[in-house]
Amino acid sequence: MYRSLLKPLLFRLDAEDAHHLTLGGLEAASKVPLWPQAARALTVPGGETLCQTLWGQAFASPVGLAAGLDKNGVAVPAFSALGFGFLEVGTVTPQPQPGNDRPRLFRLPPDEALINRMGFNNGGTEALHGRLQGLRTRPAPVWVNIGKNKATPNEAAAQDYRRCVAALQDVADAFVVNVSSPNTPGLRALQAADELAALVRAVLDEVEAGRVRALRRPPVLVKLAPDLHSADFEASVAAVVGAGAAGLIISNTTLARGGLTHPAQQEAGGLSGRPLTARSTALVREAYRLTGGRVPIVGVGGIFTAQDAYDKIRAGASLVEVYSALIYKGPGLVRELNAGLAELLRRDGLRGIDEVVGVDAG
């Protein structure tokens, strides 16, 4: 129904208006008693095939929701009902901020891509805390992607990340340090090895400081950009792992524009979707090689089919995330990915995801 009826209607609207309309519908659906739990039973395959335990957390599926779609955590139950194994909300900053001026979100249908320059628009940590604390049930882990406010200079960025951790540690199942968005001026400079190592240590120090108060010690992952030069990527990965982060997310949106056909390719911002498929998979493979598989990797970028997800897992990703494909293929995508991954594992005579992680990394 989505692809034949709803998608044509939504694609007539401005991309951000369509996003808010859809998110509003999911927020309303989240409040329907018992619906999310009942729907989830149909969207996550039974059995142990897709199950994993990472960082002491259970994942019923390796397919997660990427950050940016539900910045303020307003529709967690509905997204869980779609069959996601985990959800990443945010990016959230300590103080609310409106983000960049509109228009700031663009569809490129022939390229199956999106360009956004949202600029960390969000309601701040206090609002997000209230929503996550108010969840009646949490069928899937909820990660929180954290960033700095636009007005905060880079030399004070660590304090913003620490404030996010302090405000949300009791409701976050993991933190994702976002230093790779291209839409906050100067943010990507924090990916340089020395700065990144210091930032990760600061975040980990805050997590440790809040461990007794929050009664939890959520893992900390770092999300990197796909545009780093090879030597810089290697240095950043080494810095993240050396500082003690629990995992990597590969990758964020790109500034590259090669091979696009839609006129909106000229818009400033980060590109996501199908054009990132091969690049992000190659970077997952490289990160797995560099780390020797010592820390879990989350593969993101251009996942439209179960084979796309499987390729990233075989390259070294323990988990994967989707965003742009949801816009183009609709909410049934998650169930398709879960069923398709289970079938691919059966085809290859494998009993679980862990048996295939990194087999193509070389």
Side-chain angles (χ1 to χ4, degrees), residues 32-360:
V32 176
L34 301 181
W35 172 80
Q37 298 93 311
R40 185 172 174 81
L42 301 174
T43 56
V44 180
E48 302 298 318
T49 307
L50 299 184
C51 295
Q52 295 178 90
T53 299
L54 300 166
W55 312 291
Q57 299 176 19
F59 297 83
S61 160
V63 181
L65 177 70
L69 197 55
D70 190 2
K71 292 177 180 289
N72 295 305
V74 301
V76 168
F79 280 118
S80 296
L82 298 183
F84 284 111
F86 64 104
L87 310 170
E88 189 177 337
V89 300
T91 299
V92 65
T93 55
Q95 298 300 317
Q97 61 181 29
N100 296 323
D101 294 336
R102 296 184 62 173
R104 54 191 180 179
L105 179 62
F106 307 90
R107 306 184 198 94
L108 290 70
D111 305 304
E112 291 187 297
L114 300 172
I115 291 175
N116 92 83
R117 50 172 181 263
M118 305 299 287
F120 288 175
N121 56 306
N122 75 100
T125 55
E126 184 176 352
L128 180 58
H129 183 276
R131 292 192 183 96
L132 296 185
Q133 188 178 52
L135 292 173
R136 293 188 183 91
T137 62
R138 190 177 293 203
V142 179
W143 299 0
V144 178
N145 185 298
I146 57 176
K148 76 175 188 72
N149 281 112
K150 183 177 181 179
T152 302
N154 277 10
E155 54 268 25
Q159 293 307 309
D160 271 14
Y161 289 90
R162 294 187 71 138
R163 290 186 188 105
C164 289
V165 170
L168 295 164
Q169 185 164 343
D170 64 324
V171 293
D173 292 314
F175 286 110
V176 177
V177 177
N178 189 348
V179 289
S180 51
S181 169
N183 301 318
T184 295
L187 185 73
R188 284 190 167 191
L190 295 173
Q191 292 180 111
D194 290 345
E195 288 84 353
L196 185 54
L199 177 59
V200 171
R201 286 193 294 267
V203 170
L204 290 170
D205 286 347
E206 190 63 44
V207 169
E208 184 60 30
R211 180 168 57 88
V212 174
R213 171 185 53 80
L215 301 178
R216 58 168 61 197
R217 188 182 182 183
V220 173
L221 296 84
V222 177
K223 189 170 189 175
L224 295 177
D227 302 324
L228 291 166
H229 293 297
S230 179
D232 293 333
F233 182 78
E234 183 173 350
S236 294
V237 168
V240 168
V241 175
L248 290 158
I249 299 185
I250 311 291
S251 64
N252 211 319
T253 58
T254 181
L255 294 173
R257 294 293 188 269
L260 300 179
T261 61
H262 194 276
Q265 66 179 283
Q266 303 299 331
E267 296 290 346
L271 175 76
S272 62
R274 177 57 75 188
L276 262 156
T277 305
R279 173 63 175 162
S280 60
T281 302
L283 288 173
V284 166
R285 185 178 296 108
E286 178 66 5
Y288 189 86
R289 185 189 67 79
L290 290 169
T291 62
R294 294 191 306 276
V295 297
I297 296 169
V298 183
V300 195
I303 295 174
F304 281 72
T305 67
Q307 187 64 56
D308 293 333
Y310 200 50
D311 289 345
K312 281 184 170 51
I313 293 168
R314 293 179 65 93
S318 296
L319 303 169
V320 296
E321 291 181 337
V322 297
Y323 181 156
S324 298
L326 273 177
I327 308 303
Y328 285 100
K329 302 189 74 171
L333 169 72
V334 190
R335 186 172 184 274
E336 289 178 13
L337 294 178
N338 286 334
L341 282 170
E343 178 57 34
L344 287 166
L345 289 169
R346 282 192 295 270
R347 181 200 68 186
D348 292 344
L350 303 170
R351 292 172 296 178
I353 290 290
D354 59 335
E355 294 183 24
V356 75
V357 173
V359 297
D360 290 342

